[in-house]
Structure formats: structure tokens, C-alpha cells
């Protein structure tokens, strides 16, 4: 199979680079200075074993590829806010032998949250979800790093909305050859919702810095508890913390990399790079949406969603709101917004 990595940033670049190291055929899709660097010097992947360079085909869209191949796998690794544009770009591309990408090719969502799979199912017949446990960093144009060892990441994989098939197992086998563990599971959404709860802290980290210290940890616990209450009210199952620890164990331990200090999470990196957007609407915003649908107050997640979007829109520095100020805002939000909506 040939892997077309749509969005070759931190996660996409790492997966694409590792697959290339394992001898798989890979095409990288990027834009701007990153695309220029990929075309000029190749993809430089920094991992605990050292740095490697991979001169792979790099394109800005499907045009240069012409017809897609029946053995292509589309791996969607853009942020969720960019999913619709990517689906619009790739769904109608013709595949050799007849039909379009949406009709014939598997689409693998290498993304946080749960919304992209739902969006993709509106267009693509064969959609696969991935629960991403992959610490990675976009270092600079053309350079990504992944500090995990002995495995680079653990990627639970399955059909959306549920189920498994031979394609999922073939993809998992390729990932296993590329320094990943990729359990094929029939209930990938249960793992994705568990990861969503962990990702609720992304916005907190983005606006106030690393969640260390008693005050930050206490606030994070409140934010997560709010999320768990919403998922429980909605009847949505999610893997327990114990189950996640058992699945991941010490398989992905961070190793300091020379010249590539571990950056913050994906939302932190969006602010540092000044992209102007952030994925909070699909992380904290997913909890807010479900809370509104099921009558559960979500003032803390609503606050973090709003603050993260404001920081991205206005170009505020990552981590520039003190934890003390954030806790004060959170307490105020609970006082004024913690009542469930009235019911007739």
C-alpha cells in the first residue's frame, strides 16, 4: 500500500517518516515553508536512535499525483478544524480503474477528538479512526521529532463507527514494522473518548503553561471530572485509566533529544507557531456540545474553549495567563454558569 499523509506535521510527519524507514511507500502533503523544506532537503525525522532524512514525494494536493492508485491509503493528519477542507480536496479525486477516493479508498483519521470520523463518514465509505498516543513535535519546516522509546507511539485502530477488517489489520502490520504498536479494536471510539478526556487539558496548557503544581493539577482534575460527567450522562463508553495504563505500560517513554526539546501538546504548538487557529472547539468544545445536548453544565470546558480560541485569534503568547488568574476565572465561571438549562 502507498500511504498519502495529508498534513505532514508533527503526527503526520512522524508516521510518514517511520513508515518510510520501514520501506513503505509514502507521499507527504504539506504547504507553505514546510512543503518547500520537504521538497528541498527532505523530511528530517529526529528520534531516540538519531536523525534521519527521507526524500519523499511532497505535494500540496492531489493534482501532481494525477489518478490515485487502488492501493492508496489516505492518512488524514490535519487539525480537526481543517478536516472539511481536506475532505473537499480529496474526496472526488479519481482512482485508476474507476470511481473516486471517497468511493474506493480507505481514509485513516490520525487526529485528536472524535469529530473528524463523523465528518469523514459523510463523504467516504471506508473510514478508520485512530486513538493517537504519539508524543511528537513540529521543530521547524522540514523537521519533526518524536521522543518516544522503545516504541514511537501506540495507535489503537478500528473502523468508524465500529468494527475491524483486513485493511485495518494490514495498516496495523505496517505500523508495527515502523516502531508503533497498533492494536486493531472493534470499539475504537471508546479509546478515542478516553483520549478526549486527556486532551481536555490541552487548552489549559496552551493558555497557562505546563500543568504542574498543585493549583494547575487541581484545576485539570475539575475539567476532566466535568468531561466524565458529560460522557456518563450521554451514555458514551470510554476506556478506563487502568485499561489505558495496561495497554501502554512503559512502551512509550520520553527520551531527551539533542536540538529538539520536547514542546507542549498540539494546542500549545499551534499557539507557538501562530497558526491563528486551535482545536479547542473539537476537544473542550465536544464536551460543551454534549453537555448542552444532555443538560449537564460545562462551565470549565466552555471557559477553556473560549480562552484558547481568543489566544489563537489574537496571537497571544502560549502560557501567558497565570494559573492563579485562570483559577479565578474558572471559579467565577462555575458561580455564574454552573446551572443546568431549565427544562419545560
Amino acid at each position: 500500500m502507498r500511504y498519502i499523509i495529508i498534513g505532514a506535521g508533527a503526527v503526520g510527519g512522524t508516521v510518514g517518516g517511520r513508515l518510510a524507514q520501514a520501506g513503505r511507500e509514502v507521499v507527504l502533503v504539506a504547504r507553505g515553508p514546510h512543503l518547500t523544506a520537504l521538497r528541498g532537503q527532505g523530511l528530517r525525522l529526529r528520534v531516540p536512535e538519531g536523525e534521519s532524512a527521507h526524500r519523499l514525494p511532497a505535494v500540496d494536493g492531489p493534482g501532481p499525483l494525477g489518478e490515485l492508485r487502488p492501493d492508496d491509503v489516505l492518512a488524514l493528519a490535519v487539525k480537526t478544524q481543517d478536516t472539511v477542507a481536506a475532505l473537499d480536496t480529496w474526496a472526488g479525486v479519481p482512482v485508476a480503474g474507476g470511481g473516486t477516493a471517497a468511493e474506493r479508498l480507505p481514509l485513516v483519521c490520525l487526529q485528536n477528538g472524535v469529530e473528524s470520523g463523523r465528518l469523514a463518514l459523510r463523504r467516504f465509505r471506508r473510514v478508520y479512526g485512530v486513538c493517537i498516543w504519539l508524543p511528537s513535535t513540529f521543530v521547524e519546516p522540514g523537521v519533526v521529532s518524536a521522543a518516544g522509546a522503545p516504541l514511537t507511539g501506540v495507535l489503537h485502530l478500528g473502523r468508524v463507527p465500529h468494527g475491524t477488517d483486513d485493511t485495518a489489520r494490514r495498516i496495523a502490520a505496517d505500523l508495527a514494522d515502523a516502531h508503533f504498536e497498533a492494536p486493531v479494536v472493534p470499539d475504537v471510539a471508546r479509546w478515542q473518548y478516553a483520549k478526549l478526556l486527556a486532551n481536555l487539558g490541552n487548552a489549559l496548557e496552551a493558555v497557562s503553561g505546563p500543568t504542574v503544581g498543585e493549583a494547575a493539577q487541581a484545576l485539570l482534575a475539575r475539567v476532566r471530572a466535568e468531561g466524565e460527567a458529560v460522557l456518563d450522562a450521554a451514555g458514551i463508553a470510554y476506556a478506563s485509566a487502568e485499561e489505558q495504563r495496561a495497554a501502554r505500560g512503559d512502551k512509550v517513554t520520553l527520551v531527551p533529544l539533542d536540538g529538539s526539546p520536547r514542546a507542549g501538546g498540539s494546542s500549545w504548538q499551534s499557539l507557538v507557531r501562530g497558526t491563528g487557529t486551535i482545536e479547542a472547539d473539537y476537544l473542550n468544545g465536544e464536551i460543551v456540545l454534549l453537555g448542552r445536548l444532555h443538560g449537564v453544565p460545562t462551565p470549565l470546558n466552555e471557559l477553556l474553549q473560549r480562552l484558547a480560541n481568543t489566544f489563537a485569534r489574537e496571537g497571544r503568547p502560549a502560557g501567558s495567563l497565570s494559573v492563579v488568574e485562570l483559577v479565578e476565572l474558572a471559579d467565577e465561571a462555575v458561580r455564574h454558569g454552573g446551572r443546568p438549562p431549565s427544562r419545560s
Side-chain angles (χ1 to χ4, degrees):
M1 297 186 289
R2 179 176 69 169
Y3 291 87
I4 300 176
I5 310 294
I6 304 170
V11 169
T14 298
V15 171
R18 279 303 206 184
L19 284 169
Q21 282 183 332
R24 301 318 191 264
E25 191 174 358
V26 175
V27 176
L28 304 177
V29 182
R31 58 188 178 183
H34 189 42
L35 176 60
T36 301
L38 292 174
R39 286 173 168 170
Q41 66 186 23
L43 172 69
R44 291 164 56 198
L45 175 63
R46 295 176 182 170
V47 292
E49 308 98 272
E51 180 176 311
S52 57
H54 305 275
R55 291 195 169 273
L56 305 170
V59 299
D60 61 357
L65 300 177
E67 280 189 325
L68 297 178
R69 293 170 13 188
D71 64 341
D72 281 337
V73 174
L74 304 182
L76 190 62
V78 299
K79 293 293 196 301
T80 304
Q81 60 267 29
D82 298 319
T83 292
V84 170
L87 295 175
D88 287 344
T89 298
W90 289 87
V93 179
V95 178
T100 65
E103 294 166 337
R104 295 188 58 192
L105 299 184
L107 178 78
V108 180
C109 296
L110 287 167
Q111 299 161 288
N112 284 329
V114 296
E115 181 65 14
S116 283
R118 297 191 294 235
L119 292 170
L121 278 177
R122 298 175 187 269
R123 307 290 295 277
F124 281 76
R125 291 177 181 171
R126 299 162 62 199
V127 178
Y128 300 79
V130 179
C131 175
I132 303 169
W133 192 259
L134 170 54
S136 55
T137 301
F138 180 92
V139 179
E140 61 185 59
V143 184
V144 297
S145 69
L151 295 178
T152 300
V154 177
L155 308 173
H156 285 77
L157 170 69
R159 289 290 297 262
V160 176
H162 49 75
T164 65
D165 61 16
D166 287 341
T167 298
R169 287 184 281 273
R170 290 178 63 197
I171 294 170
D174 285 346
L175 291 171
D177 286 343
H179 290 269
F180 297 99
E181 184 173 289
V184 178
V185 294
D187 54 353
V188 69
R190 196 169 65 89
W191 291 89
Q192 289 177 308
Y193 276 107
K195 179 69 186 312
L196 173 67
L197 291 174
N199 286 144
L200 297 181
N202 285 20
L204 196 162
E205 177 194 52
V207 301
S208 291
T211 51
V212 296
E214 185 176 341
Q217 283 293 307
L219 179 56
L220 179 59
R222 293 167 63 191
V223 171
R224 182 187 171 98
E226 199 175 84
E228 291 176 346
V230 165
L231 295 186
D232 291 343
I236 294 174
Y238 51 94
S240 68
E242 293 76 14
E243 188 176 2
Q244 293 177 77
R245 282 194 294 269
R248 293 168 182 149
D250 56 359
K251 299 170 185 175
V252 183
T253 301
L254 297 186
V255 176
L257 300 179
D258 292 340
S260 297
R262 168 68 179 144
S266 55
S267 297
W268 170 279
Q269 292 184 51
S270 291
L271 292 185
V272 170
R273 293 174 61 190
T275 61
T277 64
I278 200 166
E279 58 189 342
D281 285 346
Y282 303 99
L283 301 177
N284 306 89
E286 180 71 22
I287 296 302
V288 172
L289 169 62
L290 290 171
R292 290 170 180 167
L293 290 174
H294 296 279
V296 179
T298 58
L300 299 178
N301 280 279
E302 186 173 352
L303 171 67
L304 289 176
Q305 178 188 5
R306 183 176 68 252
L307 286 173
N309 281 321
T310 299
F311 269 56
R313 184 176 59 253
E314 298 181 358
R316 298 188 189 179
S320 57
L321 179 68
S322 74
V323 173
V324 172
E325 292 175 287
L326 181 56
V327 170
E328 290 176 353
L329 290 173
D331 290 341
E332 183 179 358
V334 170
R335 285 195 300 271
H336 296 286
R339 298 184 185 87
S342 61
R343 299 170 183 253
S344 57

